[in-house]
Amino acid sequence: FKKIPLEKKSKDELGVMGETFNAMMSQLETNFEKQQQFLADASHELKTPITIVEGYTNMLKRWGAKNPDILQEAIEAIHHESQRMRDLIQQLLLVAKDDLDQGELNKERVDLVTLCQNMVKPLIRSHERGINIAAGSDQLVCTTDRGKLEQLLRILLDNAMKYSDKEIDLFIDRQDGMATITVADSGIGIPKEDLPRVFERFYRVDKSRQRKTGGSGLGLSIAQSIVTSLGGTIEVESNIGEGTRVTIAFPC
Ligand code: ADP
């Protein structure tokens, strides 16, 4: 071993330790700020439906017993807002869960064609919606995390149904060890300037149209973090008034 003078060694080490410490602190600060922002956004999103429910219950208390029209309107609004809150809380739980179990995969052999067929069958029945599946082969078996993949596809199918009222197409394929699944709709589309931001938490293209469709702006950010944990990517192509295609690619 080469002998390093004590004074010099400790100075170098202190320098390195100081830099590492500063880098760790600034990372912690950034994470903390992100958490704070997330909490603020989540509370804000929950506040709106709660205020509406409060308003309608006050109206019910005052006039509900005498006026059947008010009674009906209030019941519908309270029901609608409760559903919004339920959906939002479900998504917030997904975000929290995803932040906690980053990277933990439960891999098994999955036939992508059967998985997609099983997912769309109940949707076709319950939403009376045409959903077509086209695959590169009758069976496309991958080793991946079935639960995460289902969660991811549910978000994409849910969006395709929310933002279009026509048929939806699913394309499944595999090439060079990568599987791709595309969910394509012919709905309202996304403006070009909004495309780069749709993966941000709570980002919504147009707040007024979300009020009707009940979106929270969390779906695609959850989808992106799931696909990243699968080692894959997600891409959105869209033309306003023509439709949207979301493609996920992951190791197969
Ligand atoms: P949300 O839960 O509000 O739908 P997402 O994160 O899933 O939030 O989507 C973010 C934004 O992207 C939304 O504002 C929505 O307007 C837009 N968007 C997502 N998918 C589609 C789609 N298939 N067609 C049109 N717009 C979409």
Side-chain angles (χ1 to χ4, degrees):
F1 290 105
K2 209 173 128 198
K3 207 172 173 192
I4 300 171
L6 189 62
E7 207 182 315
K8 187 163 185 288
K9 183 185 169 197
S10 58
K11 252 191 198 163
D12 285 353
E13 274 187 353
L14 274 179
V16 171
M17 274 170 68
E19 270 168 30
T20 317
F21 180 77
N22 283 343
M24 277 168 67
M25 283 309 286
S26 87
Q27 184 60 42
L28 273 176
E29 263 170 33
T30 315
N31 286 352
F32 184 69
E33 275 163 22
K34 275 191 189 159
Q35 296 276 10
Q36 295 284 90
Q37 188 58 45
F38 180 65
L39 270 179
D41 289 343
S43 323
H44 176 80
E45 288 304 311
L46 279 169
K47 239 182 182 168
T48 318
I50 288 172
T51 311
I52 297 176
V53 168
E54 251 183 343
Y56 273 104
T57 37
N58 282 337
M59 209 165 110
L60 271 182
K61 269 200 220 153
R62 281 191 181 180
W63 302 293
K66 289 176 230 129
N67 190 331
D69 288 343
I70 285 183
L71 187 67
Q72 190 59 28
E73 187 190 329
I75 289 173
E76 270 166 28
I78 291 170
H79 182 65
H80 185 245
E81 295 306 315
S82 315
Q83 282 176 327
R84 256 179 76 77
M85 281 191 272
R86 187 204 52 206
D87 292 347
L88 180 61
I89 288 166
Q90 249 167 15
Q91 293 206 306
L92 288 174
L93 289 174
L94 274 181
V95 174
K97 188 173 172 293
D98 194 66
D99 279 348
L100 286 179
D101 68 17
Q102 276 275 324
E104 272 177 43
L105 292 183
N106 205 348
K107 285 192 176 178
E108 58 182 302
R109 278 168 67 80
V110 182
D111 172 26
L112 300 182
V113 181
T114 314
L115 180 136
C116 288
Q117 281 170 339
N118 288 342
M119 285 198 71
V120 304
K121 251 184 241 161
L123 296 179
I124 294 174
R125 253 182 247 124
S126 60
H127 292 74
E128 290 180 5
R129 182 72 74 92
I131 306 179
N132 314 306
I133 297 181
S137 148
D138 287 350
Q139 273 198 332
L140 283 172
V141 180
C142 278
T143 304
T144 190
D145 189 312
R146 176 194 295 274
K148 287 196 180 226
L149 190 57
E150 281 179 355
Q151 231 177 48
L152 181 54
L153 286 172
R154 210 165 294 131
I155 293 171
L156 305 186
L157 285 166
D158 189 42
N159 277 352
M161 289 194 299
K162 268 194 307 202
Y163 302 113
S164 85
D165 50 13
K166 303 184 192 79
E167 291 201 348
I168 295 163
D169 292 299
L170 245 76
F171 303 100
I172 317 166
D173 209 354
R174 185 178 55 190
Q175 256 175 14
D176 306 325
M178 290 295 273
T180 54
I181 304 180
T182 299
V183 180
D185 66 63
S186 330
I188 55 177
I190 303 169
K192 284 273 169 291
E193 64 270 23
D194 291 292
L195 275 178
R197 300 198 60 191
V198 290
F199 295 107
E200 290 173 20
R201 282 180 179 175
F202 295 105
Y203 187 78
R204 297 177 299 183
V205 169
D206 169 3
K207 293 234 173 202
S208 65
R209 83 181 187 191
Q210 312 302 320
R211 202 114 267 290
K212 276 184 266 155
T213 51
S216 64
L218 284 174
L220 285 179
S221 78
I222 298 174
Q224 189 177 45
S225 89
I226 297 176
V227 85
T228 307
S229 74
L230 293 178
T233 54
I234 182 164
E235 269 175 33
V236 183
E237 300 157 73
S238 190
N239 284 309
I240 197 89
E242 288 176 22
T244 304
R245 292 167 70 90
V246 185
T247 302
I248 52 165
F250 52 95
C252 185

